[in-house]
Amino acid sequence: MTRKLLIAAVFGVAATALHADVIAPDDVAANEYGEVEVSLTGMPGDPVRGEEVMTDRGLGNCIACHQVTALDDYPFHGEVGPTLDGAADRWTEAALRGMLVNADNIFPDSAMPSFYRVSGFVRPGNGYTGRAAEGPIEPILSAQQVEDVVAYLLTLTE
Amino acid sequence: MKKMQKALALGSVAAMALMGTAATLSADEDADLIINGDMEMIVRTEAPDHLDGHLNMIYSGWTFRSDETQAMQMDDFDNPAMLFVEQGIEIFNTAMGTEGNSCATCHETPENLSEVRAVYPQWDEERGEVQTITMQINECVTERMGAEALGWSSRDMVNLEALLASVGRGTVVNVAIDGPARETWEMGREIYYTEYGILEMSCATCHEQNYGNYIRADHLSQGQINGFPTYRLKNARLNSTHSRFRGCIRDTRAETFAEGSPEFIALELYVASRGNGLTVEGPSVRN
């Protein structure tokens, strides 16, 4: 009896995590240009939450490498990648999603990390502890966070 | 004139460090480093041939630091790391282990070892392996003094390394990468260019492709090790080369290698060789 309940509970959790509409990292399909056309969640992104992901060190930390004039209120923008001002004029939604999921889709050999990938890493770690990752690797961002960032990037027009 | 400004800037160093803003001040990348008014350092020079055009010029990490941090290294009275050199001298003169020997029993003065820092890591014929200066010190400690090996990044070890660096200041880094050391050097090069961790970044991503650029608030240097051990204002202690390597690999969200591991010994030889032509500059000051 207890055992049955436990099993039911486990399946319940799994079912929510793998919500039918969320595409798992290994299942994301990019087209021949590296673009990912369909939303990872089937839900529209929220640019306000996207701004938080862009600037939070524990999330996207995008401004560690990119200058973004619209984010001037947040200190310390890096210079490793190009400015993102006007990114929406240069890239389609599908291309932006493609590069966030897996930078190699659009920029082979780029310094930019892949934010929605879980395999193919050399010595993956457990966060910033320096120890080996345990169990399945989590993507840096959730599917919805990727969509939120895409929505934010689409506001960057010049 | 430049010197005057530096001297004036010195007074505010403590305040700056407290506010944590020292890192964000722009550095004078063209400044020259003369320590105590008479020890001239080579902080920029042509890259050694074995870098194969990956870099044209090599630069000491000192050139990328703020004016205030730079100034602290220009005078031993202002360099907090020199306190640890003092402690290193004490250890040098203290007998340890079963043999009743101190370092001074065999070497007399630290100055007798002034040529050592610049040529390590080095192939050790007897042991048939590349030896870092840490390993060489422990060889003396265990075999010639009969004492327990010092921990890789223990205080005593790092203080002794600071002492050997300080007496070597101004000698030109010249580690050998041919002959039997070649295989280890190639292993180090392989590690240098491997993209580790969930962020998939290599040493080269930050220190070869992006030196001079900011990554968030950090002004990236070439990741040279001619200034080690380094006193970091951030943690207010002396930091070993391998603990720096660990920190950098950890920051890529990777599983690091252990201090003293074969991987880090190889990486140390390789990174040291990227600085052939700069001068020994430790113990240095960094943010």
Side-chain angles (χ1 to χ4, degrees):
Chain A
M1 172 66 192
T2 342
R3 190 158 174 182
K4 240 186 207 158
L5 272 180
L6 200 70
I7 290 172
V10 168
F11 275 104
V13 169
T16 359
L18 302 172
H19 189 275
D21 295 336
V22 173
I23 304 172
D26 281 337
D27 298 337
V28 180
N31 68 21
E32 60 178 309
Y33 307 108
E35 299 163 335
V36 174
E37 281 161 87
V38 294
S39 161
L40 302 177
T41 59
M43 306 240 294
D46 173 356
V48 177
R49 281 203 308 251
E51 173 169 329
E52 192 192 323
V53 175
M54 297 275 304
T55 50
D56 189 319
R57 279 164 210 271
L59 295 174
N61 200 15
C62 311
I63 61 172
C65 292
H66 294 285
Q67 185 270 335
V68 189
T69 304
L71 299 176
D72 267 352
D73 285 351
Y74 303 88
F76 310 128
H77 296 203
E79 306 169 320
V80 171
T83 175
L84 299 184
D85 290 358
D89 302 329
R90 291 187 293 277
W91 304 96
T92 62
E93 178 182 330
L96 291 170
R97 187 179 291 112
M99 71 175 78
L100 284 170
V101 164
N102 182 348
D104 293 339
N105 278 336
I106 308 278
F107 308 115
D109 298 327
S110 171
M112 182 153 142
S114 298
F115 291 92
Y116 198 63
R117 236 183 65 207
V118 292
S119 52
F121 303 117
V122 181
R123 297 178 72 88
N126 181 1
Y128 290 103
T129 62
R131 289 192 292 274
E134 286 165 27
I137 294 167
E138 293 282 321
I140 300 173
L141 298 179
S142 70
Q144 191 55 46
Q145 284 168 334
V146 172
E147 294 304 324
D148 294 344
V149 172
V150 170
Y152 178 79
L153 292 173
L154 288 172
T155 69
L156 298 177
T157 51
E158 272 178 334
Chain B
M1 183 55 209
K2 205 175 253 168
K3 254 188 210 150
M4 272 270 289
Q5 283 174 347
K6 299 237 177 205
L8 286 176
L10 256 180
S12 55
V13 165
M16 287 296 183
L18 277 179
M19 293 190 301
T21 55
T24 65
L25 295 171
S26 66
D28 183 356
E29 291 188 23
D30 301 320
D32 290 320
L33 175 54
I34 300 169
I35 297 177
N36 299 334
D38 62 3
M39 239 191 284
E40 214 163 313
M41 299 290 142
I42 301 171
V43 293
R44 64 182 67 74
T45 188
E46 271 177 40
D49 289 343
H50 59 256
L51 286 186
D52 237 358
H54 282 270
L55 295 174
N56 293 320
M57 294 285 292
I58 52 175
Y59 302 92
S60 160
W62 181 84
T63 64
F64 297 92
R65 306 287 42 103
S66 71
D67 287 353
E68 287 69 23
T69 309
Q70 284 185 351
M72 296 177 82
Q73 209 186 304
M74 297 177 79
D75 190 309
D76 284 353
F77 284 109
D78 301 316
N79 183 341
M82 295 314 285
L83 282 174
F84 300 98
V85 170
E86 295 296 322
Q87 295 176 22
I89 293 175
E90 236 167 79
I91 304 164
F92 191 91
N93 291 320
T94 305
M96 35 178 162
T98 53
E99 307 300 308
N101 289 336
S102 69
C103 312
T105 313
C106 295
H107 302 289
E108 292 174 33
T109 67
E111 286 73 18
N112 280 339
L113 297 171
S114 65
E115 303 293 321
V116 173
R117 180 61 274 185
V119 295
Y120 271 77
Q122 191 181 67
W123 180 257
D124 182 295
E125 205 51 67
E126 229 167 276
R127 302 183 160 218
E129 63 179 8
V130 167
Q131 244 189 356
T132 67
I133 206 165
T134 315
M135 294 157 81
Q136 175 59 57
I137 290 172
N138 263 339
E139 182 182 318
C140 291
V141 167
T142 55
E143 291 177 16
R144 308 205 173 87
M145 299 161 78
E148 289 272 309
L150 302 173
W152 193 275
S153 290
S154 64
R155 271 177 47 179
D156 284 358
M157 178 57 84
V158 180
N159 289 347
L160 281 171
E161 289 182 24
L163 173 63
L164 294 187
S166 76
V167 296
R169 284 183 297 180
T171 56
V172 179
V173 176
N174 184 21
V175 302
I177 63 168
D178 43 13
R182 189 75 187 182
E183 203 179 316
T184 308
W185 182 80
E186 280 170 2
M187 172 176 163
R189 185 178 57 185
E190 179 77 30
I191 293 170
Y192 192 87
Y193 286 103
T194 300
E195 293 186 346
Y196 289 110
I198 289 171
L199 299 185
E200 295 180 289
M201 298 175 94
S202 69
C203 311
T205 310
C206 286
H207 296 298
E208 183 171 286
Q209 294 161 19
N210 280 295
Y211 70 87
N213 285 335
Y214 277 86
I215 186 163
R216 202 95 196 212
D218 288 316
H219 195 200
L220 288 168
S221 71
Q222 289 184 339
Q224 298 283 1
I225 55 174
N226 60 309
F228 275 78
T230 57
Y231 180 88
R232 293 189 67 190
L233 300 168
K234 188 177 156 187
N235 60 15
R237 61 178 175 78
L238 271 188
N239 297 267
S240 72
T241 304
H242 287 204
S243 90
R244 187 55 183 196
F245 289 171
R246 261 172 63 103
C248 281
I249 292 195
R250 181 198 61 213
D251 286 350
T252 68
R253 294 206 193 183
E255 177 189 6
T256 66
F257 300 100
E259 296 178 6
S261 62
E263 289 86 358
F264 274 176
I265 292 164
L267 185 62
E268 181 175 343
L269 173 65
Y270 178 71
V271 176
S273 81
R274 292 175 69 96
N276 274 358
L278 297 172
T279 39
V280 171
E281 208 195 273
S284 63
V285 187
R286 301 289 187 257
N287 50 269

